[in-house]
Amino acid sequence: MARGKLYFKHEDCKGCALCVEFCPQKILALDKENINPKGYNLIKVLEPERCIACAFCAIMCPDSVITVERVPA
Amino acid sequence: MKTIVYQKSKGLTDAQLSYCPGCTHGIVHKLVSEALVELDVLDKAVGIASVGCSVLSYNFFNCDMVQAAHGRACAVATGIKRARPEAIVFSYQGDGDLASIGIAETIHAANRGENLTVIFINNAIYGMTGGQMAPTTLLGQKTTTSPLGRDSKLHGLPIRIAEIFSEIPRAVFVERVSVHNPRAVRNAKKAILKAFRNQIEARGFSLVEVLSTCPVNWGMTPVEALRWVEQEMMAYYPVKTFRDGDADEKA
Amino acid sequence: MKKILMKGNEAIARAAILGGLDAFFGYPITPQNEIPEYLSKHLPKMGKVFVQAESETAAINMVYGAAAAGARTMTTSSSPGIALMQEGISYLCGSELPCVLVNVMRGGPGLGGIQPSQADYYQITRGGGNGDYRVLSFAPENLQETVDLMKEAFDIADFYRNPVMIAVDGLIGQMMETVDLHREKPKRELPDKDWAACGSGKKRLVNSLYLDPAELERHNFRLFEKYRMMEENEQRYELVKMEEAEFAIVAYGTMARIARSALELLEEAGVKTGLIKPISLWPFPKKAFSELPASLKGLLVAELSLGQMLDDVKIANEGRLPIAFFGRTGGMLPEPEEIAEAVLKMKAEASQ
């Protein structure tokens, strides 16, 4: 099973949570404690080790916030 | 060596998008940019920024951009393409710009078989001006100028652009797509790639209608808006290929 | 050089080609149809662009596109068609795009008529579009002047990065006259089009939207610097028999041509009358009014309208001389005698 690592350009995030909705592993969530300079809630990865590098989150992100790297298992 | 499976396209500038949270303009901007980069025509591209939320796309697409008067993008694109045929010219228009004030320019550009790529964003509403009814607004859909919901007796029926354009012989490629989930986004990208490839191979006029959201003016969350596209919009606007193939000269 | 007999509209089309026309976009409307007809025959053979658009609104926006891409481009129309182009013209000025517009004027308002008129003077000089902008506009009197201005128009447009309008009327468009197509045109140092959005790969932007008001004001100040230069350098006019003149007729285009005959009638009647003939409509030739002979007792403004250039003459005159107006409109052309009588009436009233 491929493994993935996510990088976020948080200052561009608008907290729209489309990534949260479409992550098949359900490991993304809005971080209620942290906001970016524009005042939007950031995204946090609940269980990074369960990311499968499918990039659904990045595909659905309107603002190109997420970079997805496939890492060896 | 890192294997990056997904990253921001080089066809986009560093500017932050001005669109509302969850607005699918952002997704379609990525697909257009990725297509221009993958087909290696980014440097030869000229984009027409029509009037609407996406007028500011001239800050986001990383190629030459020309801002056109409301509704006239396809006429401006015609002028550019005819004068500089080697440029890859695309117009990016919302439903107010293309389906309302600019429908004549768009139909005639198709009818002349202009070698252009038109990206048509159908979000069933006027976004930039604050949520008014558009020709594509669905029956019963409430907007700031159809407060009781669109009524066919008063406002006619929502206009089906892809169907109309499929009747135009020199429109060599007409497809309606959606971006309401990753699979749909992938299909949308295939269609956009094809629409640009058609232009590169000088085959004529291509139009891709993209069912899109307007969370703020629909009064929905971004996720609810995507569901509304799937349940309501796709019921009335079928997602499929309407025309694909060389224009039959004789028809 | 060799002169040939040509129809006005065809001479305009021929001169445009000689002026370096790359791309033409137009729409049928009487009385200018021979221009697109001529160009539809000749441009394709030269590998140049000819498109008949679906409307004048589309045509002017095609011009906008071709100009944005750096081509020498033009459209021609007539009064109501030019009215449909006003928004596009405002965009062309706002985006600083060079192009040539030819208006073969016909009677108005509304559908009006198809006979000659000068009733678009306000629309040409004040602009029918939105915002502070100016269109450099010239009104030739005969086919030779029309041809010479047409050939020069593309250079002037490129020099200032602004639309240039050549305003004639149905008579000039439809009449035949001998013209020399190959007279030398003035040389101009033309800037390189390093702004053209032609697929340059340099992220160029052609645009007139400035949401930040401070930026839009700075943009307007820059445009106005250009318009001030135009006012300084592009005022064109002709003075005819003005020395020791007792009266002067102020008229342009076809009305100026008729006025020349009135000058002779007035001379026979012992009233020395001259002609001040504006060639540039905007900038209005104020300079012509700062060097008038002391002998002058009054100005008769004569137009194929009910008085539009009249305003500019009054402004330039600054109350110095009495001004009277003579106009025919709707496509009616006056006899020279009618203009002469208007001057004689002025003289009679002046002596009471």
Side-chain angles (χ1 to χ4, degrees), chain A residues 5 7 9-18 21-22 38 40 53-72, chain B residues 1-9 12 14-27 30 179-183 185-186 222-223 226-227:
Chain A
K5 191 166 191 316
Y7 303 86
K9 193 165 182 252
H10 285 300
E11 64 272 25
D12 288 355
C13 175
K14 294 173 184 162
C16 75
L18 289 187
E21 172 71 14
F22 288 99
K38 287 197 285 236
Y40 291 114
C54 70
F56 278 14
C57 57
I59 287 170
M60 291 309 289
C61 173
D63 295 276
S64 303
V65 170
I66 307 169
T67 299
V68 183
E69 179 199 359
R70 177 180 295 118
V71 293
Chain B
M1 222 284 283
K2 275 192 176 175
T3 32
I4 300 294
V5 291
Y6 193 98
Q7 63 187 325
K8 177 171 180 174
S9 162
L12 290 170
D14 302 336
Q16 285 180 344
L17 298 188
S18 51
Y19 307 119
C20 306
C23 166
T24 48
H25 265 314
I27 296 176
K30 296 192 310 181
V179 284
H180 66 283
N181 63 33
R183 194 170 52 75
V185 170
R186 281 228 167 77
V223 169
L226 286 180
R227 278 206 200 94

Side-chain angles (χ1 to χ4, degrees), chain C residues 185-200:
Chain C
K185 68 176 178 178
K187 286 275 164 296
R188 270 184 196 255
E189 201 51 50
L190 295 182
D192 174 35
K193 294 188 176 180
D194 54 7
W195 44 265
C198 52
S200 68

Side-chain angles (χ1 to χ4, degrees), chain B residues 141-158:
Chain B
Q141 184 181 344
K142 289 189 169 71
T143 74
T144 58
T145 51
S146 60
L148 306 177
R150 179 173 189 162
D151 172 350
S152 62
K153 288 192 297 303
L154 294 174
H155 314 122
L157 290 160

Side-chain angles (χ1 to χ4, degrees), chain B residues 76-89 115-116 199:
Chain B
V76 172
T78 297
I80 294 171
K81 187 69 180 184
R82 291 285 184 127
R84 296 292 179 269
E86 68 291 350
I88 297 302
V89 183
N115 191 23
L116 295 172
Q199 179 172 167

Side-chain angles (χ1 to χ4, degrees), chain B residues 33-241:
Chain B
S33 305
E34 288 160 10
L36 291 173
V37 171
E38 279 159 42
L39 295 167
D40 193 21
V41 288
L42 180 64
D43 282 350
K44 295 201 298 181
V46 183
I48 316 299
S50 63
V51 171
C53 294
S54 64
V55 69
L56 295 175
S57 64
Y58 63 65
N59 291 324
F60 311 135
F61 288 125
N62 201 10
C63 58
D64 284 352
M65 292 296 292
V66 175
Q67 198 286 309
H70 194 34
R72 316 310 172 195
C74 279
V76 172
T78 297
I80 294 171
K81 187 69 180 184
R82 291 285 184 127
R84 296 292 179 269
E86 68 291 350
I88 297 302
V89 183
F90 69 95
S91 80
Y92 187 102
Q93 302 171 253
D95 38 21
D97 194 272
L98 185 143
S100 196
I101 187 172
I103 197 165
E105 279 78 1
T106 312
I107 282 181
H108 282 285
N111 202 56
R112 289 188 302 265
E114 299 291 344
N115 191 23
L116 295 172
T117 303
V118 174
I119 308 297
F120 166 43
I121 307 298
N122 174 1
N123 62 358
I125 204 159
Y126 278 80
M128 179 185 236
T129 44
Q132 296 78 15
M133 178 175 64
T136 45
T137 295
L138 296 184
L139 283 183
Q141 184 181 344
K142 289 189 169 71
T143 74
T144 58
T145 51
S146 60
L148 306 177
R150 179 173 189 162
D151 172 350
S152 62
K153 288 192 297 303
L154 294 174
H155 314 122
L157 290 160
I159 196 164
R160 288 186 169 119
I161 288 296
E163 285 80 349
I164 289 170
F165 277 72
S166 64
E167 293 302 317
I168 300 174
R170 302 295 320 279
V172 293
F173 177 61
V174 179
E175 178 157 342
R176 180 180 292 124
V177 297
S178 172
V179 284
H180 66 283
N181 63 33
R183 194 170 52 75
V185 170
R186 281 228 167 77
N187 290 334
K189 174 151 181 192
K190 270 204 228 99
I192 289 173
L193 271 168
K194 173 163 222 155
F196 277 108
R197 214 173 283 115
N198 279 346
Q199 179 172 167
I200 294 165
E201 293 157 9
R203 288 154 56 98
F205 185 89
S206 302
L207 181 139
V208 177
E209 176 177 349
V210 186
L211 298 183
S212 297
T213 63
C214 185
V216 166
N217 286 309
W218 290 358
M220 299 172 194
T221 70
V223 169
E224 285 161 356
L226 286 180
R227 278 206 200 94
W228 194 74
V229 167
E230 187 175 17
Q231 284 144 18
E232 299 299 327
M233 287 189 79
M234 285 169 66
Y236 185 84
Y237 298 113
V239 165
K240 69 185 185 107
T241 304

